Amino acid sequence: MQAPSTDLDELVSAAPGGQEQHLHLLSEPLSALRWRDPVAVSPSASVREAAQLMQERQVSSVLVVEQGRLFGLVTDRDLRNRVVAAGLDTSRPVMDIATLAPLTLDERRPAIEALMLMARHNVHHLPLTDGERVTGLVTARDLTERHGTSAVYLVGEVCKQPDLEGLVRVSRRLPELQRHLAAADASAHATGHLITAVTDAFTTRLIQLAEARLGPPPVDYAWVAAGSQARCEQTAKTDQDNCLVLDDTYDEARHGAYFEALARFVCDGLNACGYVHCPGEMMAMTPAWRQPWSRWRQYFHQWIDEPEPKALMLTCVFFDLRLVHGQAALLNSLRRDMLERTRGNGIFLAYMVGNALAHRPPRGLFGGISPIRSGEHRGAIDLKHTGIVPIVDLARIYALAGALEEVNTQDRLQRAADSGEISADGVRDLRQTLEFLAVLRIRHQARQMTQGQPPDNFLVVDSLSNFERSQLKDAFGVVHTLQSVLEQRFQAGRF
């Protein structure tokens, strides 16, 4: 299964002060990280032959390859779990224990993509390819030893924990991860994906622990992330937004107690791990957000057909959805139905534009920066609500107008350009602006955590250099311009 590629070149942070070895993590192609050629056996080899070859070459995995094409992957964990523990005859073909069609990545992609893929899927061995030909193998150890990053192993630690107490202990290492990524000058795009991958791991493990306690679910369900977790844009300062989509065979009288207990266990567990309860109660433990598929369909239809203020607020959370655990078909069919209803829906989109334009960048006279004038955060700007959120809102409108299934903001912007919802120049400017603002936010929070302070989104303008202020002024100008373009489009009725 070939992993999807994304263009991270323009997302690499070029700010000074980064450590050279960590910048390589972002820019080096994977082919440059290979320390040895991959060890391979043919599909006709036996399990014993594969194990002997791994011992001779002192490697933790072997690829199953024939004529340069990859058929499978066998790791030392497979030998332990699928052979020794299962008492399997070692004369059996190695294909009997191999992971078939493993995740792969093109060797020309940056190393950071390998790290993101490993963290997302909790794998530690990643075959590299050039077209259909397998060319190498990179392991989590290669990346961690060379670059000191810990996201993959942090996910692995989460998956090993037998109880909530263990998860809480692991969660205390999360601030260290963001500080490390900030010190490495990792892009905001990569940082968001890696931190969100850890959040997904905590969520999935809590669901597994809940099912172990409660028994198997009585009907199919999808545990769905909303908000920044759904968009893979989380940082250290975050609460939880999630919901449950239940199969339509769900019956409240027979099944309600089970799913209430599951949702409460997971949401309370996330809260204990630092993902605090949503202040607006947009969580699966809230009955309104734990509903069958048909009820969710009614929700979306009502929000789209009657876009009053509360509905618009809910759309900004629940139109950004991504499956974390369970039956993908439940969410996929719901998303397709919702997007078909928003495509070209001028009235609804006009309301969405009006709602989005309520979040304006803090610009003063002559396009200068206008910080908060009084109160606790006097002299600061809110990087999230007056910088990042306006771009997220723009990308969401483009996605809803064009019925685009992407959820991540960078991905939505790129697809919006491909579909004609926004010009290529506009997309380039917005993507670079989003990256700049998000990196400022991540570094600001990392500094606060290093100083023992709780992270927030309020950056004091006077703490910036003249160069940074100039960039910030230009960034707010880009957002203002694209908001004005959308406003003119709305006024002209062009949806």
Side-chain angles (χ1 to χ4, degrees):
M1 180 170 56
Q2 180 71 34
S5 64
T6 56
D7 184 3
L8 288 177
D9 296 339
E10 67 187 56
L11 302 179
V12 175
S13 172
Q19 302 171 25
E20 183 179 356
Q21 65 171 350
H22 292 302
L23 289 175
H24 287 333
L25 178 62
L26 301 174
S27 59
E28 271 189 326
L30 283 160
S31 55
L33 291 176
R34 295 209 312 271
W35 291 343
R36 67 180 83 185
D37 290 332
V39 178
V41 296
S42 72
S44 61
S46 68
V47 171
R48 181 182 297 109
E49 289 171 330
Q52 289 173 340
L53 184 60
M54 290 169 64
Q55 182 184 43
E56 291 169 5
R57 302 289 291 274
Q58 296 184 346
V59 294
S60 60
S61 65
V62 63
L63 301 178
V64 183
V65 177
E66 190 165 58
Q67 296 182 345
R69 297 187 64 181
L70 178 66
F71 286 85
L73 171 69
V74 176
T75 68
D76 49 7
R77 181 183 298 179
D78 295 328
L79 292 175
R80 181 177 66 248
N81 296 342
R82 299 178 182 177
V83 180
V84 178
L88 189 72
D89 184 353
T90 57
S91 66
R92 296 279 294 274
V94 70
M95 290 293 284
D96 287 356
I97 67 164
T99 298
L100 304 180
L103 287 168
T104 65
L105 199 61
D106 190 292
E107 66 174 5
R108 290 163 293 198
R109 302 308 304 165
I112 189 65
E113 289 193 28
L115 180 61
M116 290 161 57
L117 197 63
M118 289 179 178
R120 175 70 58 200
H121 296 278
N122 191 29
V123 297
H124 294 75
H125 300 80
L126 193 62
L128 307 180
T129 60
D130 181 4
E132 293 187 351
R133 184 174 64 92
V134 62
T135 60
L137 180 82
V138 67
T139 69
R141 178 170 294 180
D142 293 337
L143 296 174
T144 55
E145 288 184 352
R146 185 157 180 168
H147 301 288
T149 185
S150 59
V152 175
Y153 280 103
L154 190 56
V155 169
E157 285 299 301
V158 169
C159 297
K160 294 176 186 175
Q161 298 309 309
D163 50 36
L164 177 59
E165 289 73 18
L167 290 174
V168 170
R169 284 194 298 272
V170 175
S171 72
R172 298 188 184 117
R173 296 166 58 185
L174 282 170
E176 178 186 352
L177 174 61
Q178 179 162 328
R179 289 197 303 268
H180 176 86
L181 291 168
D185 281 336
S187 71
H189 183 271
T191 298
H193 275 78
L194 292 172
I195 291 178
T196 304
V198 178
T199 307
D200 288 355
F202 276 105
T203 306
T204 300
R205 187 60 185 140
L206 285 165
I207 293 171
Q208 292 168 344
L209 292 174
E211 289 189 357
R213 172 182 295 189
L214 300 172
V219 299
D220 287 341
Y221 72 92
W223 185 281
V224 179
S228 61
Q229 184 183 358
R231 298 191 303 271
C232 297
E233 294 168 5
Q234 287 192 306
T235 67
K237 175 68 174 178
T238 186
D239 55 12
Q240 56 175 292
D241 294 305
N242 48 60
C243 61
L244 268 174
V245 181
L246 307 169
D247 188 86
D248 271 346
T249 57
Y250 169 82
D251 178 79
E252 174 65 25
R254 291 186 296 154
H255 310 140
Y258 178 95
F259 286 106
E260 179 183 4
L262 182 142
R264 184 164 295 279
F265 180 90
V266 176
C267 292
D268 286 347
L270 288 171
N271 183 69
C273 291
Y275 304 97
V276 298
H277 287 140
C278 172
E281 299 186 343
M282 296 179 191
M283 300 172 289
M285 63 187 286
T286 304
W289 313 130
R290 187 177 66 247
Q291 294 292 330
W293 185 94
S294 57
R295 182 59 178 145
W296 276 105
R297 184 173 183 266
Q298 292 173 5
Y299 281 163
F300 285 121
H301 285 197
Q302 181 178 349
W303 296 337
I304 295 166
D305 295 342
E306 302 173 20
E308 43 86 22
K310 183 178 180 180
L312 292 170
M313 180 270 293
L314 293 171
T315 61
C316 291
V317 176
F318 289 118
F319 278 15
D320 298 349
L321 299 176
R322 181 176 56 81
L323 179 76
V324 174
H325 183 85
Q327 297 299 316
L330 288 169
L331 178 60
N332 292 341
S333 58
L334 188 65
R335 178 182 286 115
R336 285 193 297 267
D337 180 83
M338 178 263 290
L339 289 174
E340 282 303 313
R341 205 166 184 88
T342 63
R343 185 204 301 266
N345 188 327
I347 296 176
F348 168 72
L349 292 170
Y351 275 98
M352 287 292 290
V353 170
N355 187 65
L357 295 179
H359 299 118
R360 298 278 190 173
R363 300 177 83 230
L365 291 175
F366 311 110
I369 300 171
S370 178
I372 298 170
R373 297 183 179 277
S374 61
E376 178 185 0
H377 302 295
R378 183 175 180 271
I381 54 172
D382 186 339
L383 284 170
K384 178 180 178 181
H385 291 101
T386 63
I388 294 171
V389 166
I391 302 176
V392 172
D393 287 343
L394 288 172
R396 184 184 298 111
I397 291 169
Y398 300 144
L400 294 174
L404 310 178
E405 294 197 7
E406 283 73 15
V407 180
N408 175 264
T409 300
Q410 292 281 4
D411 295 342
R412 278 175 165 172
L413 290 172
Q414 187 58 59
R415 280 283 287 114
D418 297 340
S419 67
E421 291 297 326
I422 181 177
S423 70
D425 287 344
V427 160
R428 183 188 64 249
D429 291 345
L430 271 182
R431 292 184 74 192
Q432 292 179 350
T433 296
L434 174 60
E435 177 66 16
F436 171 72
L437 293 173
V439 165
L440 273 185
R441 180 191 184 202
I442 289 167
R443 292 176 182 169
H444 164 67
Q445 293 180 347
R447 284 193 298 269
Q448 290 179 308
M449 289 185 287
T450 299
Q451 296 167 5
Q453 302 171 0
D456 62 28
N457 300 304
F458 296 95
L459 177 66
V460 176
V461 176
D462 286 346
S463 68
L464 299 174
S465 67
N466 289 334
F467 177 71
E468 289 172 322
R469 282 190 229 182
S470 177
Q471 286 185 305
L472 187 60
K473 176 182 174 181
D474 291 343
F476 288 151
V478 167
V479 177
H480 174 79
T481 297
L482 270 296
Q483 284 184 324
S484 298
V485 170
L486 191 66
E487 187 173 21
Q488 292 169 10
R489 181 181 171 189
F490 151 62
Q491 291 172 348
R494 298 197 309 274
F495 283 110

